[in-house]
Amino acid sequence: MRDKIAHLSRSNSLLIGLAALVAVALVGTTLGYTALTTSVTLTLDGETREVSALGDTVGEVLDAEGIEVGERDEVAPGLDTPVDDGSEITVAFSRPLELVVDGRSKTHWVTATDVDGALAQIGDRFRGADLSVSRSSSIRRDGLELEVVTPKKISVSVAGRTAKKHRVPAVTVADVLDELDIAVDGDDVVKPAPKRKVEPGDSITVTRVKTVRKAVQGEPVAFRTVEEKDADLFTGEKSVAREGRKGLRDVVYQLRYENGELVDRTVVRATVRRKPTNALVKVGTKSTGPNFADGNTVWDRLAQCESGGNWATNTGNGYYGGVQFSAATWRSVGGTGLPHQHSREEQIKRASILQARAGWGQWPHCSAQLGLR
């Protein structure tokens, strides 16, 4: 019994010794690890934490923390910078910003974590522009697509009114109209076309178009005047053989108005109630006499007797020209103005008409002297 107790006592002492040795080893290991690690302040994309990591440089600390950095990422201080307890390391990760400005796309790499900061880095905050997301929106590491519509100075005229200048964020003509609350329907005409892109300084015209139908009952239909040759009338003479008469019809028109003004009228349907009767005019073809161009005719001899052969005379006695027409007689044979204002040939032509109608007695004295009656 005493031997058994002594054996147990020796075993317990051995266990206690082993435990003490293990404890000493653990303390030594901990003290050694503590001596090898560095306590630094690490800021990643603006979020800060305290870390203890193995490493003598910034790069080694980041490797120990499993943080990978690329060419576009910003690390401060540099990767080869030595660190000690209390050092601060800042990492700003670069991310793609797909910037689509007025339909044109370009990729920028930024380290900012929000839209407003990223635009500041690019160097254009696009003041007054419309953005597809708010300026405070976050940009994740995998990036963001941002659509920007810039404001442009555009001149707009609506319904014929004086054009007004506006500054509006728009890509197309339709965008401009939407921004200005200008409604258009399917009949209105927009120039340039709504789908066309706009540039600063462009002008847009909106023409208000209205199409209506109008029915007219008993509308007059004009008649035509038809001419017919007549050998019984002298050349230059005309005679109305039949008076014209207007027709009647019922008609439906399509009327097109632009900016309130009628610009086009088209017949949609017409029903004739009475056809028009054309006027008939007889036109004389009968010759008025021989050719008087040689200047040695019976008319020249008559003119020699009446006016001394002066076809341009105006004696002031109410008679004019070579054969002394009165104004009333001259007009009765189709003459215009006064006889002496016309050529010898024209006066002979009218005198021939008068002679054919009334004979040589129209010149009683001179025609008797010349033996013409």
Side-chain angles (χ1 to χ4, degrees), residues 279-302:
L280 179 60
V281 175
K282 301 286 188 175
V283 179
T285 60
K286 185 178 180 181
S287 175
T288 57
N291 183 359
F292 302 112
D294 60 6
N296 187 26
T297 67
V298 66
W299 293 109
D300 290 294
R301 295 196 297 276
L302 184 65

Side-chain angles (χ1 to χ4, degrees), residues 144-177:
L144 174 72
E145 181 179 277
L146 176 63
E147 294 184 11
V148 179
V149 180
T150 61
K152 302 169 185 67
K153 289 184 179 179
I154 306 294
S155 178
V156 182
S157 173
V158 180
R161 293 189 289 270
T162 301
K164 293 183 178 180
K165 293 182 178 180
H166 305 270
R167 184 177 175 85
V168 291
V171 175
T172 65
V173 171
D175 294 338
V176 174
L177 300 181

Side-chain angles (χ1 to χ4, degrees), residues 84-107:
D84 51 23
D85 285 336
S87 293
E88 296 182 357
I89 301 174
T90 301
V91 179
F93 293 104
S94 182
R95 60 210 69 207
L97 178 66
E98 187 72 19
L99 193 61
V100 183
V101 180
D102 293 336
R104 298 179 179 90
S105 179
K106 184 177 181 180
T107 300

Side-chain angles (χ1 to χ4, degrees), residues 228-256:
E228 206 175 78
K229 294 180 179 180
D230 190 333
D232 293 331
L233 297 176
F234 287 101
T235 300
E237 287 189 304
K238 291 185 177 181
S239 174
V240 177
R242 183 179 66 232
E243 296 289 344
R245 182 188 183 192
K246 293 180 178 180
L248 293 175
R249 70 175 183 175
D250 299 331
V251 61
V252 176
Y253 289 104
Q254 180 167 286
L255 308 178
R256 177 184 173 89

